[in-house]
């Protein structure tokens, strides 16, 4: 079957004069996200703001009469972060084209961080080398001997070691580490805390104590820990680089989609075929596509035919046959023949551009489960600082009285308390917690787009996960939405083709759906249909006329009775067909005998039963809703594998939403799957609306999930993907919270040095992002390979 793909209407907020999407540069943890979001929300003129840590974006709605975009950007900069306006999707391009201010700013930021890391590492490694016991004595001793001999000084090797460590560590602390002080300062102004607060306090504690032990004569015999602060900053910067690299992979789906668009198009202008940049194609242009080329924009075939690979947008592996009148979608690949089509949608109106916009908005949205992380992050930093202070006091005042004095042979109680408190501060940074949800949503929604499932928001994804009942509209959703001839049962003395010719001749010119089904079947069987004469419609009965000197009547039982034709011998056969939900039409000739029976029905889509079976196996209650009579409805439902007690029959369009509400009253989270305007109220009433790709724009605007094709296996994919994504979010929360729950006590017990705590903290963020990236392995259970 060749389903038409209809470009989806964008969901959620759209780019208008009163909304803007910003790229935020410099956020490192969920506390940073909270600061930016809170600041924007409290800004006069801003009506709403949502900030996403994973893709470093902010979506801001505002009143243009009170505030402009430049003022909003300056507001972000006032709290220590940079912001750039992100362009709306007007024409998909490869990622190497079309300058993107956010991408350029991010790349510049990453390049700067890379230079800082190299600088910090170059100065930190000598500090580590100096800590090797043999070198700690020999190197300072050699330097001291040379200085004393050359300059006549009296330096002790211990002081040389301290001075050398100070010279190496200070640039790391105030050049590479300046970003943390700047973030700490801005957080302090806002009376809040973030990762920068913890890193600045932790490194400063170790560094300032070491400075005192170096330059205060009374402390000359105390050890220094310059390597601790330097290595801590180095590890944190390395962690940020690895995290940025991993986060970049979470947006691979967007990059793939944007890379699908062809660069040029061959159009017919002034009678000649010319190649132009795809941006110059306008609505109404005649576009020529040759074998192996990509379709540049959306349109309708006017000449020629071909098979087109639409797998990059639909997940369907079998090429779709296209003939004049069929719709073609930009970025799909022409396999065989050449054809021409008239461009109908270009630029931001193409299916691909709207899909990209949908996915970007979904990846920038928040799932309700994110509120859990936001609540924790809001109190995390002050709680951690309190724990670190308690840890310091316990180790300084209480522990010395509980342990053997030999425990402090190599370090004083103050130093041990300082290092332990610093380790607590550093290891507790809430970076991983803030990345747990958004990274999984970015990968999940991107994976959905690859499989023909457009999830409009994180909330829609989470709601789909909770779904326990799905209501399918019958016509056009479970079924094709158009009647077809299913049975030709000729009576004795007639063959099927002759009976079909008589019926088709009467129905020629009629626009009734049943008539169109008979005529289409005659064309499919390639039979000659002669003209009819004396045509007359018999209201409530059928039609009659003369075909090739034979008087023909086509209609129901009442018409046969009116014609005096006995159908008693065929009643059982008629009843069986009607029990299957089919509409039976009887063909009578010459008012004397029955030529045969034609059965017409709106048949199930090819994979409807397969989808219903899989959903039932997943523990989802499957319902069918229709305005058809119960007998017809139950017959179709039985073919789909839906029990009779879950058939909602004889429901008027305006009452479909009421049936959804009744299921919700039983405590079920309900998904509604539909494709027509009359499904819109039910789609809106359901916990999650799933709109079919061939449906109207109204239905797709209402649906929280849009299926690009008409294949119901994509409903299964949507539910499976939502469950996989929510499982991944919960895993991420487990690891992030487990890491902090385990790391803080280990550090508080004095079992972790601060520099190792910094490395572990950086690793936790990278591990959460890497965990989310595993979602890229998701494969639908009902693969569209046939």
């Amino acid at each position: 079957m060749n389903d038409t793909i209809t470009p989806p209407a964008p969901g959620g907020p759209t780019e208008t004069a009163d909304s803007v999407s910003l790229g935020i540069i410099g956020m490192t943890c969920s506390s940073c996200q909270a600061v930016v979001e809170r600041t924007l929300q409290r800004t006069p003129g801003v009506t709403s703001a949502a900030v996403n840590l994973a893709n470093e974006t902010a979506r801001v709605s505002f009143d243009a009469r009170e505030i402009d975009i430049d003022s909003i950007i300056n507001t972000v900069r006032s709290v220590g972060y940079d912001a750039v306006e992100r362009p709306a999707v007007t024409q998909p391009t490869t990622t190497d084209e079309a300058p993107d201010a956010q991408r350029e700013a991010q790349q510049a930021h990453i390049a700067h961080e890379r230079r800082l890391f190299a600088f910090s590492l170059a100065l930190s490694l000598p500090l580590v080398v100096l800590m090797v016991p043999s070198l700690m004595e020999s190197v300072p001793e050699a330097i001291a001997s040379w200085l004393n001999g050359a300059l006549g000084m009296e330096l002790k090797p211990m002081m040389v070691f301290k001075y050398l460590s100070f010279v190496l560590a200070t640039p790391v602390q105030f050049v590479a580490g300046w970003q943390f002080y700047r973030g700490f300062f801005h957080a302090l102004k806002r009376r809040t805390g973030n990762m920068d607060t913890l890193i600045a306090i932790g490194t400063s504690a170790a560094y300032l104590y070491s400075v005192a032990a170096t330059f205060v004569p009374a402390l000359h015999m105390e050890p220094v820990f310059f390597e601790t602060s330097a290595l801590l900053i180095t590890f944190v910067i390395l962690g940020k680089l690895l995290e940025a690299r991993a986060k970049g992979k979470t947006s691979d789906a967007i990059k793939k989609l944007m890379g699908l668009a062809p660069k040029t198009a061959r159009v017919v202008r002034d009678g000649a075929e010319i190649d132009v940049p795809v941006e110059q194609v306008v609505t109404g242009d005649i576009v020529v596509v040759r074998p192996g080329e990509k379709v540049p924009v959306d349109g309708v075939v006017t000449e020629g035919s071909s098979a087109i690979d639409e797998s990059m947008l639909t997940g369907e592996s079998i090429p779709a046959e296209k003939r004049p009148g069929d719709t073609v979608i930009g970025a799909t690949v022409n396999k065989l023949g050449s054809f021409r089509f008239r461009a109908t949608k270009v630029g931001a109106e193409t299916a691909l551009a709207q899909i990209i916009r949908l996915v970007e908005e979904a990846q920038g949205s928040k799932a309700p489960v994110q509120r859990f992380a936001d609540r924790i992050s809001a109190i995390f930093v002050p709680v951690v600082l309190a724990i670190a202070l308690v840890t310091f006091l316990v180790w300084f005042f209480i522990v010395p009285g509980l342990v053997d004095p030999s425990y402090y042979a190599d370090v004083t109680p103050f130093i041990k308390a300082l290092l332990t408190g610093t380790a607590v501060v550093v290891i507790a940074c809430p970076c991983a917690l803030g990345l747990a949800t958004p990274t999984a949503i970015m990968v999940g929604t991107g994976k959905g787009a690859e499989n023909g499932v457009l999830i409009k928001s994180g909330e829609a994804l989470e709601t789909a996960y909770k779904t326990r009942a799905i209501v399918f509209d019958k016509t056009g959703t479970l079924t094709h939405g158009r009647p077809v001839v299913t049975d030709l049962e000729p009576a004795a003395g007639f063959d099927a083709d002759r009976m079909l010719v008589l019926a088709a001749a009467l129905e020629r010119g009629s626009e009734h759906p049943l008539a169109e089904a008979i005529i289409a079947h005659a064309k499919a069987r390639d039979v000659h249909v002669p003209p009819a004469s004396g045509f007359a419609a018999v209201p409530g009965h059928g039609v009659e006329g003369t075909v090739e000197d034979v008087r023909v009547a086509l209609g129901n039982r009442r018409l046969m009775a009116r014609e005096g034709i006995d159908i008693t011998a065929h009643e059982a056969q008629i009843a069986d067909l009607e029990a299957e939900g089919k509409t039976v039409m009887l063909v009578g000739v010459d008012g004397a005998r029955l030529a045969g029976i034609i059965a017409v029905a709106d048949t199930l889509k090819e994979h409807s039963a397969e989808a219903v079976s899989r959903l039932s196996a997943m523990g989802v209650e499957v319902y069918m809703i229709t305005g058809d009579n119960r007998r017809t409805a139950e017959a179709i439902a039985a073919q789909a594998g839906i029990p009779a007690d879950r058939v909602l029959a004889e429901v008027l369009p305006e009452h479909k939403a009421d049936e959804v509400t009744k299921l919700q009253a039983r405590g079920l989270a309900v998904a509604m799957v539909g494709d027509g305007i009359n499904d819109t109220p039910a789609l809106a009433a359901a916990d999650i609306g799933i709109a079919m790709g061939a449906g109207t724009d109204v239905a797709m605007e209402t649906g929280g999930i849009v299926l690009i094709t008409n294949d119901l296996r994509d409903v299964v994919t949507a539910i499976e993907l939502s469950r996989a994504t929510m499982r991944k979010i919960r895993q991420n929360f487990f690891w992030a919270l487990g890491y902090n729950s385990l790391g803080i006590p280990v550090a508080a017990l004095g079992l972790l040095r601060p520099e190792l705590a910094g490395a572990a903290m950086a690793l936790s963020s990278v591990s959460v992002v890497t965990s989310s990236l595993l979602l890229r392995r998701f494969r639908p259970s009902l693969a569209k390979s046939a």
Side-chain angles (χ1 to χ4, degrees):
M1 184 182 66
N2 178 21
D3 287 334
T4 299
I5 309 170
T6 299
T14 57
E15 293 292 348
T16 69
D18 293 338
S19 70
V20 64
S21 180
L22 300 177
I24 308 297
I25 314 301
M27 292 191 299
T28 55
C29 66
S30 55
S31 295
C32 300
Q33 170 196 319
V35 168
V36 176
E37 189 169 86
R38 213 162 36 235
T39 301
L40 287 171
Q41 290 173 344
R42 293 173 180 174
T43 301
V46 172
T47 55
S48 67
V51 179
N52 185 291
L53 175 63
N55 61 6
E56 298 177 305
T57 61
R59 193 159 192 83
V60 185
S61 296
F62 62 96
D63 187 340
R65 295 169 299 182
E66 296 185 38
I67 192 171
D68 57 20
I69 294 174
D70 288 340
S71 298
I72 293 173
I73 290 175
N74 289 333
T75 298
V76 175
R77 290 173 177 166
S78 71
V79 291
Y81 306 93
D82 195 12
V84 292
E85 184 177 358
R86 302 176 75 236
V89 178
T90 56
Q91 175 66 47
T93 61
T94 63
T95 53
D96 295 328
E97 299 175 354
D100 182 325
Q102 181 187 12
R103 185 167 64 247
E104 290 180 354
Q106 287 172 333
Q107 289 173 347
H109 180 72
I110 291 172
H112 178 66
E113 290 292 313
R114 194 179 290 118
R115 289 192 296 270
L116 286 180
F117 171 69
F119 173 80
S120 182
L121 183 66
L123 294 175
S124 298
L125 285 179
L127 284 169
V128 176
V129 171
L130 286 175
M131 294 303 296
V132 176
S134 58
L135 296 176
M136 185 184 294
E137 296 178 4
S138 60
V139 172
E141 187 173 335
I143 295 174
S145 176
W146 178 79
L147 288 174
N148 291 339
L151 303 177
M153 303 175 67
E154 295 184 4
L155 292 174
K156 295 180 180 179
M158 170 64 75
M159 294 309 299
V160 171
F161 168 75
K162 288 185 175 183
Y163 293 145
L164 185 59
S165 297
F166 170 77
V167 169
L168 291 170
T170 299
V172 176
Q173 187 73 28
F174 296 107
V175 177
W178 181 250
Q179 58 185 311
F180 304 117
Y181 285 108
R182 185 176 62 248
F184 176 34
F185 172 70
H186 285 292
L188 202 59
K189 284 199 304 182
R190 293 280 167 177
R191 297 180 182 178
T192 184
N194 56 17
M195 187 193 87
D196 294 332
T197 303
L198 300 179
I199 299 302
I201 291 176
T203 59
S204 295
Y207 175 81
L208 293 176
Y209 171 79
S210 300
V211 169
T214 301
F215 295 103
V216 176
L219 300 175
H220 277 180
M221 298 306 296
E222 298 292 338
V224 292
F225 299 95
F226 286 116
E227 83 286 352
T228 296
S229 61
L231 282 175
L232 181 51
I233 289 172
T234 303
F235 281 138
V236 172
I237 295 175
L238 174 61
K240 290 171 68 176
L241 284 172
L242 294 175
E243 180 186 315
R245 181 179 178 183
K247 282 199 298 186
K249 294 181 180 179
T250 63
S251 60
D252 280 353
I254 288 286
K255 295 174 185 175
K256 284 182 181 179
L257 287 170
M258 297 187 75
L260 291 176
K263 298 178 182 179
T264 61
R266 184 175 294 107
V267 300
V268 178
R269 290 182 181 168
D270 298 326
E273 295 181 9
I274 60 172
D275 290 339
V276 300
V278 71
E279 295 86 356
Q280 295 181 14
V281 178
V282 298
T283 302
D285 270 344
I286 298 299
V287 184
V288 181
V289 184
R290 295 172 181 170
E293 295 180 343
K294 285 186 176 182
V295 178
V297 295
D298 300 356
V300 177
V301 178
T302 59
E303 181 182 336
S305 61
S306 185
I308 294 183
D309 180 4
E310 298 176 336
S311 60
M312 67 287 297
L313 294 179
T314 68
E316 177 61 65
S317 60
I318 298 177
E321 297 294 330
K322 299 293 182 179
R323 298 179 178 83
D326 288 341
T327 299
V328 291
I329 300 299
T332 54
V333 180
N334 183 30
K335 303 295 285 186
L336 300 173
S338 297
F339 65 92
R340 295 185 176 197
F341 72 92
R342 184 180 71 258
T344 57
K345 294 190 176 181
V346 300
E349 295 181 349
T350 63
L352 180 61
Q354 294 196 48
I355 288 169
I356 290 171
R357 183 161 55 186
L358 263 178
V359 175
E360 282 188 331
E361 289 177 354
Q363 292 186 342
S365 66
K366 280 189 180 183
V369 70
Q370 175 67 26
R371 297 174 193 143
F372 170 69
D374 291 344
R375 285 196 299 269
I376 292 178
S377 298
I379 61 170
F380 200 83
V381 172
V383 168
V384 167
L385 291 177
I387 293 173
L389 178 61
V390 170
T391 300
F392 173 84
L393 295 175
V394 168
W395 276 94
F396 185 62
F397 290 108
I398 299 176
V399 173
L402 301 177
V403 299
D404 189 276
S406 61
Y407 181 81
Y408 289 103
D410 299 322
V411 65
T412 66
F414 175 80
I415 293 174
K416 183 64 177 178
L418 179 67
L419 293 178
T420 304
T422 300
V424 170
V425 167
V426 172
I427 201 168
C429 290
C431 311
L433 186 63
L435 292 167
T437 298
T439 52
I441 287 177
M442 286 183 69
V443 179
T445 52
K447 197 66 185 176
E450 290 178 18
N451 287 278
V453 177
L454 302 182
I455 301 170
K456 290 187 176 181
S457 67
E459 183 176 1
L461 188 144
E462 184 172 342
T463 305
Y465 156 77
K466 297 175 181 177
T467 295
R468 292 298 175 265
I470 291 184
V471 180
F472 285 102
D473 180 55
K474 180 186 81 71
T475 305
T477 302
L478 281 172
T479 66
H480 289 103
R482 58 183 184 276
V484 296
V485 173
T486 58
D487 301 87
L488 292 175
E489 302 290 346
F494 286 88
D495 64 28
D497 283 348
R498 178 58 181 167
M499 176 184 65
L500 181 61
V501 165
L502 295 176
L506 279 186
E507 297 286 23
R508 281 183 66 172
S510 172
E511 295 182 357
H512 191 281
L514 298 182
E516 291 178 348
I518 292 174
I519 295 166
H521 197 67
K523 288 181 179 178
R525 290 176 73 106
D526 198 25
V527 297
H528 172 67
V529 180
S533 60
F535 175 86
V538 184
H541 292 69
V543 295
E544 57 187 17
T546 301
V547 180
E548 295 179 333
D549 299 325
V550 176
R551 187 167 177 275
V552 181
L554 175 65
N556 55 26
R557 289 182 178 86
R558 291 193 297 275
L559 183 61
M560 295 302 105
R562 183 172 180 262
E563 293 288 314
I565 298 175
D566 183 16
I567 60 171
T568 305
H570 301 276
E571 279 291 355
Q573 189 178 21
I574 294 171
D576 288 343
L577 291 171
E578 289 178 336
E580 294 174 9
K582 299 174 180 178
T583 298
V584 174
M585 291 183 286
L586 307 173
V587 183
V589 295
D590 294 330
R593 54 186 178 141
L594 186 71
I597 301 169
I598 300 176
V600 177
D602 181 9
T603 56
L604 276 183
K605 290 178 181 175
E606 183 180 0
H607 300 291
S608 292
E610 184 183 12
V612 169
S613 174
R614 176 58 184 157
L615 287 168
S616 298
M618 292 166 63
V620 179
E621 295 182 12
V622 181
Y623 293 80
M624 185 186 81
I625 192 166
T626 179
D628 290 351
N629 66 69
R630 177 155 291 278
R631 184 174 70 172
T632 300
E634 289 183 356
I636 293 293
Q639 295 174 37
I642 299 174
D645 61 350
R646 293 182 183 170
V647 175
L648 309 174
E650 301 175 18
V651 180
L652 296 175
E654 59 268 28
H655 294 153
K656 287 183 179 180
D658 296 336
E659 296 296 328
V660 170
T661 303
K662 289 178 184 177
L663 292 175
Q664 291 170 325
R666 291 173 43 199
L668 297 172
V670 180
M672 172 71 193
V673 185
D675 76 329
I677 292 176
N678 63 9
D679 298 327
T680 304
L683 287 169
D687 295 282
I688 180 72
I690 302 177
M692 300 297 293
T696 66
D697 285 345
V698 175
M700 281 187 281
E701 184 69 34
T702 304
I705 296 177
V706 176
L707 308 183
I708 298 179
T709 71
N710 275 324
D711 195 329
L712 286 186
R713 290 177 295 182
D714 289 340
V715 176
V716 178
T717 299
I719 302 300
E720 288 179 337
L721 181 59
S722 67
R723 293 184 177 184
T725 304
M726 291 305 298
R727 279 197 304 270
K728 184 59 65 178
I729 289 173
R730 280 167 168 72
Q731 287 176 17
N732 289 348
F733 275 147
F734 173 80
W735 289 114
L737 291 173
Y739 159 83
N740 280 315
S741 300
L742 180 63
I744 291 175
V746 169
L749 290 172
L751 303 177
L752 199 62
R753 286 185 60 87
E755 59 268 35
L756 295 180
M761 182 271 292
L763 184 62
S764 71
S765 298
V766 176
S767 65
V768 165
V769 178
T770 303
S771 172
S772 293
L773 289 173
L774 294 178
L775 267 176
R776 296 192 296 181
R777 299 180 180 178
F778 171 84
R779 296 291 183 274
S781 63
L782 302 182
K784 294 187 282 188
S785 58

